[in-house]
Every structure is written in structure tokens, then in C-alpha cells.
Amino acid sequence: MPKVRKAKDAVEAILADANWSERLGELDSLGLKRVSGALFSLILSPSPALRWRARKAFGKVAADLDASEPEAGRTIVRNMLWRLNEESGGIGWGVPEAMGEVLAASPRLAEQYHSILLSYVREHDGVCHGNFLDNPGLRHGVLRGLVRLAEARPELVARGAAHLTRVLDPGLAAERHQGSPEQHECHDARARALACRALGLAAGNLSGQALETARSALEAMLDDRSETELEGEDGIGEQTTVAAEAQRALDTLTG
């Protein structure tokens, strides 16, 4: 059996175990560079739990590599960026979320690459930034990645608060633009809920005009009863509404 296939099977067996988090140390013995290749495959698993665990494992692997071989850690991130590039020929499913885990786990990689993750949802005055992802599913992934990064390093996500408040612009709600030429710029309920959550997590690092802008954007969402599902622990879906996420974030701003 080819080495790559053996590594994938070994990593999958670890992640499928009920005690998977306690077994992550076993990845080191498989060769971290080889493991990273297996994880790129496993973040596409049809199993929500396995996808979620593979992303968590990516964080450990990248952080370990960055500590021992910094260039190898950067190579993982660059590989992720390539997979999100149209020239790669792929779609990049699961990659933004995995990148969020990697940046959450490694302070050095986070400082170097957080601005690129933020740039995938960056819009300004109606003009999309060159990195803006026009695939709604991939934008969901970026926002999930930013939520994860905000949990670990809220100060970095706070630097992109303006991009997140743009997601909450009522004029860009997907429901108002179905079938229109602007649809690729629109944001649906899941995107708005994720942006609210990320803003709430980063709230402690906002001040001045950025804080007031975030507050106003969140208050505008309090009447948005659109329902959506956000990913929870082990990939389990959690039902919520945009309004609920906005209120939770506002509670953080005023707490």
C-alpha cells in the first residue's frame, strides 16, 4: 500500500476513535509532513465529525511544524492559499476552516497570515477586493475560520471588523437580491450569523469608531429572524437565528 494511503488510513483511524483528542500525539510518529497531506483529504470527508476533527488536527500539526521547522509550517498555509486560488483548479472546500484552526493554534502563523484570511470577505464601497471569494459556501468557510481565530486571537480578527460589519449590510442580504447580477456579492443568513459571532468574540478589542460601527451593524440585525444552522462541537449543527447571534454579540459589547 502506498505510503500516502497508509498515512491517511492511520490518521483516519485516530480521528475516528472516541478518544481522538487524547491520541493526537500519535500523529508525530507518522511524520507531520505526511500527516498534513492526509488531513487535506480528510477535511473533505462525508462525515461532519471527521471533517471537524481533521481541522482540529491540522491546527496541532501546523503548530508543531512551525515550532520545529518554521518553513514547513508556512508551507502548509501556502498550500491552503493555493487551494483557494482559482488557478489551482479546485474549489477549496474545508480549507478556510482548516486555516482558521491553524492560525488559532500558531501565534507566528497567525500574525503572518490572518490578514489574508480576512481578505477573502473584504469588500469596500461595493467593490470586491481581489481576494474576495464569490462562492457563498467558501465565504461561510472563511467566516467559520474567522470565528475560530477570534476564539483564540480576537485582537487579530478585530483588525478586520470593518469587513465583518460589511457582511451585515442589510442592502447585501442575499434574500433581497435573489437572481440579480449582484448575487455574488450578497450574504445569506448563515454568513450574517457567523459575522455576528465573530464580532462578538472580537468585541473586547474594539474601541472608538470601530466599536460604534460594530454596535450599529449588530443592532440592525436584531429584527432579522432568519433561521440558520451553525456548526458546533464535533461538527454537530446548532439551530440559531441572525437576531440571536446579534444579541449575543451586543451583550459582549455592553458587558
Side-chain angles (χ1 to χ4, degrees):
M1 182 181 293
K3 290 182 178 180
V4 173
R5 181 65 192 179
K6 289 178 68 174
K8 179 179 180 296
D9 289 346
V11 174
E12 185 170 357
I14 290 171
L15 297 181
D17 193 289
N19 297 315
W20 67 275
S21 60
E22 299 171 12
R23 297 185 58 190
L24 286 181
E26 297 176 31
L27 297 176
D28 296 352
S29 64
L30 300 175
L32 293 179
K33 294 179 183 178
R34 189 175 299 160
V35 167
S36 70
L39 292 175
F40 272 118
S41 175
L42 291 171
I43 61 174
L44 298 174
S45 169
S47 164
L50 196 53
R51 291 197 302 269
W52 189 85
R53 295 175 185 184
R55 299 199 305 259
K56 293 293 181 182
F58 242 133
K60 171 186 165 42
V61 167
D64 287 352
L65 279 174
D66 185 55
S68 60
E69 301 178 58
E71 186 56 32
R74 288 192 290 270
T75 295
I76 286 181
V77 179
R78 288 196 290 264
N79 199 334
M80 291 178 172
L81 300 179
W82 167 248
R83 289 166 188 257
L84 290 171
N85 189 316
E86 290 183 359
E87 296 179 4
S88 71
I91 300 295
W93 298 123
V95 173
E97 297 96 321
M99 187 173 172
E101 286 291 345
V102 167
L103 303 189
S106 171
R108 180 159 47 192
L109 292 175
E111 189 59 47
Q112 291 175 333
Y113 293 104
H114 74 278
S115 60
I116 298 180
L117 185 60
L118 281 162
S119 75
Y120 290 127
V121 292
R122 177 183 171 191
E123 300 173 79
H124 181 67
D125 291 338
V127 178
C128 299
H129 182 268
N131 270 0
F132 181 84
L133 295 176
D134 61 8
N135 183 300
L138 284 180
R139 288 204 304 276
H140 292 163
V142 172
L143 290 164
R144 280 191 289 265
L146 291 173
V147 166
R148 179 66 189 99
L149 180 57
E151 290 174 342
R153 309 185 193 287
E155 73 283 358
L156 298 182
V157 175
R159 297 177 187 177
H163 308 335
L164 296 171
T165 56
R166 176 71 172 169
V167 175
L168 300 182
D169 183 345
L172 289 178
E175 294 84 350
R176 299 189 180 191
H177 294 273
Q178 289 297 329
S180 75
E182 299 85 6
Q183 187 171 352
H184 75 284
E185 298 180 15
C186 298
H187 304 288
D188 60 11
R190 182 169 297 171
R192 299 195 299 275
L194 286 165
C196 288
R197 186 169 289 190
L199 280 170
L201 290 165
N205 292 271
L206 298 176
S207 60
Q209 187 57 52
L211 178 61
E212 292 310 309
T213 299
R215 190 192 312 277
S216 296
L218 290 165
E219 288 174 345
M221 296 293 102
L222 291 177
D223 292 326
D224 188 341
R225 305 297 174 180
S226 303
E227 296 182 352
T228 189
E229 181 179 274
L230 300 187
E231 184 183 61
E233 191 83 6
D234 226 15
I236 298 173
E238 301 175 345
Q239 293 297 318
T240 187
T241 66
V242 177
E245 295 299 325
Q247 184 62 65
R248 197 170 292 129
L250 282 167
D251 289 345
T252 304
L253 264 65
T254 58

